[in-house]
Amino acid sequence: MRLLHVSIDVTRRVSGAMLCGVLMLGALGAGSQRAAGTVPTLSAAKTAGDSADELAEILVETPEPRYVAPTQRDRIGRIWAPVFINGRGPFRLVLDTGASHSAVTAMVALALGIPTDQSPPVMLRGVTGSATVPTIRVDTLSVGDVAVDSPLLPIVPDAMGGAQGILGSEGLANKRIFIDFRHDKITIAYSHGERSGRDFVDIPFHSLHGRLIVVDAIVGGVRTTAIVDTGGQTTIANLALRNALARLNTPGKSQPDQIVGATLAVEDGEIIATPAIQLGGVKMLDPGVTFADMYIFKQWQLTKEPAILIGMDALGVLDTLVIDYRRHELQLRTMNSG
């Protein structure tokens, strides 16, 4: 690992509840009851061609960057992958390294001409809670060198910040994701074990539950399990980290916050001024992290030891982010490198 040390200043945008990704799903029987308030089924009313063309026009005309939006003072960045489904598209899906499966909105199902009442519902587990949702089965899902045959896609609420769904981590084994925030570019290709370029910092990672990207971090002198969550708008930590920091440092001022997950369930938390999050030679200076007793920490059995989900408020201030699943390595380049 390089000995280059850099710091990143992160300015949080706080405007009500923050949306977070992270999806896991479990199959349910076809006759399972749908939970109240979850996504209703949809029957296709337009032809697939007309709807897909209309959706494509929306993507082309958007004033935002088409693929990757950097985090700015008044906006938290996103990573959008141009995904083809059944050969149609591209659809704009949020790249979510915290999600085990891909998912789409009901509008995409309509564009594809696939009713949402012909496949079994599934239990969708997000950051804040779970919900029973309908699904569609498609023949293919592809982006770059990623190709998934016959995937079952859950239908998520249409609250994706301009995206038409979520691109999860299935199919990413042995792949290399190159995300260039400065030039609005994303490529997903087979990894050939490439080493990082000049001015990059290399950070090894290991997997949790087979797919999550987990790195060793230090927050204010506290050793912390950090999960890289490109689908989350904001950085979230568990109460074990909050308590450990309180024992070593004078707690900063807090203010209420709310987290909205992909299932639209809401959990309360508090934003607290937090010391820098250190990943190898990179320090991310975030003025406030949301601490909460999140549903997902319980699902991952990460409640007893300090843990943190690093979201796009921090990741989006990088110049370049490379995720190499074959090398089990993050390659980071900051805006001030070089």
Side-chain angles (χ1 to χ4, degrees), residues 68-86:
V68 293
T71 294
Q72 298 177 356
R73 186 169 297 276
D74 60 347
R75 182 185 68 193
I76 291 176
R78 290 301 237 179
I79 302 170
W80 294 287
V83 177
F84 289 86
I85 302 176
N86 288 355

Side-chain angles (χ1 to χ4, degrees), residues 92-242:
R92 195 187 207 195
L93 273 57
V94 173
L95 175 66
D96 189 351
T97 55
S100 61
H101 290 77
S102 298
V104 295
T105 64
M107 181 60 71
V108 173
L110 178 64
L112 295 171
I114 304 176
T116 59
D117 56 1
Q118 296 183 357
S119 298
V122 296
M123 179 65 74
L124 197 67
R125 297 183 177 90
V127 168
T128 56
S130 61
T132 304
V133 301
T135 63
I136 61 171
R137 185 174 293 282
V138 301
D139 295 327
T140 60
L141 181 150
S142 62
V143 51
D145 285 342
V146 173
V148 182
D149 294 329
S150 301
L152 190 69
L153 299 177
I155 303 299
V156 293
D158 193 2
M160 308 300 300
Q164 279 69 51
I166 295 167
L167 178 64
S169 58
E170 76 270 43
L172 293 181
N174 297 321
K175 304 299 189 302
R176 185 175 189 265
I177 305 175
F178 183 92
I179 303 158
D180 185 341
F181 289 100
R182 181 178 297 180
H183 299 101
D184 187 21
K185 179 181 179 182
I186 178 173
T187 58
I188 304 177
Y190 282 101
S191 169
H192 299 289
E194 300 98 318
R195 295 182 180 274
S196 60
R198 180 172 171 245
D199 298 326
F200 279 77
V201 176
D202 301 338
I203 300 173
F205 69 81
H206 63 276
S207 298
L208 180 65
H209 301 294
R211 287 174 177 166
L212 295 175
I213 298 173
V214 182
V215 298
D216 296 325
I218 297 178
V219 182
V222 177
R223 293 189 177 276
T224 305
T225 296
I227 297 171
V228 176
D229 179 20
T230 60
Q233 285 191 16
T234 189
T235 297
I236 306 169
N238 66 3
L239 299 186
L241 178 56
R242 183 198 65 181

